[in-house]
Amino acid sequence: MPLPQPDDLSSLVLRTDFGDEAAWDAVRAVLDAAGEYPHATYVSELRFAGVGVQALTAEEAAADEGDQIVYMFLADSATMKDPGHPLLAVDLSDEPGRTFRVPARWFPDISANLSIANMDFAEFADAADGSGTFRGFDEG
């Protein structure tokens, strides 16, 4: 099950929950509205239904180096059920399997910084709150 590659500098948003089409539409709408420019390459393929973080990290580890991606965002059941539609960010490179939640309002900033390697996945993950959700950097 090779993972799709984003077409550009956008981030891969992989749908893993297929129980509610309206929720998927809402996730895409809120992410598209969150930033000035497109930041997501959406993948909605049934072969990824219910796939977990471990399976994804194993798939990436087995891929040829040139075909590997560094990180991705999952639209899982929690994303679909929560009104804020927080994605699950997944590290596939430095600390494979490390995750944190990303509310839509922060997605464009995280996507942009990761896609150009301006910041590392760990910088965002380390700033996540006690619930494992990134809510910005504490400036105070």
Side-chain angles (χ1 to χ4, degrees):
M1 148 177 64
L3 296 175
Q5 298 286 322
D7 298 330
D8 47 25
L9 286 178
S10 65
S11 296
L12 185 66
V13 176
L14 182 70
R15 181 183 184 185
T16 64
D17 184 288
F18 289 82
D20 186 344
E21 199 64 33
W24 174 238
D25 291 342
V27 167
R28 290 181 295 148
V30 74
L31 292 177
D32 288 344
E36 188 176 338
Y37 304 102
H39 290 282
T41 296
Y42 299 108
V43 176
S44 178
E45 298 177 12
L46 280 174
R47 66 187 173 120
F48 295 111
V51 71
V53 171
Q54 285 185 324
L56 293 170
T57 56
E59 182 64 34
E60 276 306 281
D64 291 335
E65 188 174 325
D67 294 331
Q68 291 180 344
I69 56 177
V70 176
Y71 67 93
M72 68 168 34
F73 297 89
L74 301 184
D76 60 4
S77 61
T79 305
M80 301 300 185
K81 291 175 185 165
D82 187 302
H85 302 298
L87 298 169
L88 184 65
V90 180
D91 186 343
L92 297 170
S93 179
D94 294 334
E95 296 177 68
R98 187 174 186 190
T99 64
F100 64 93
R101 288 274 166 199
V102 180
R105 75 173 290 224
W106 295 108
F107 177 74
D109 292 337
I110 293 172
S111 174
N113 279 291
L114 290 177
S115 69
I116 63 170
N118 185 51
M119 296 178 74
D120 294 328
F121 189 95
E123 291 177 83
F124 293 105
D126 290 346
D129 65 15
S131 73
T133 303
F134 178 85
R135 299 182 197 280
F137 292 105
D138 183 5
E139 306 269 335

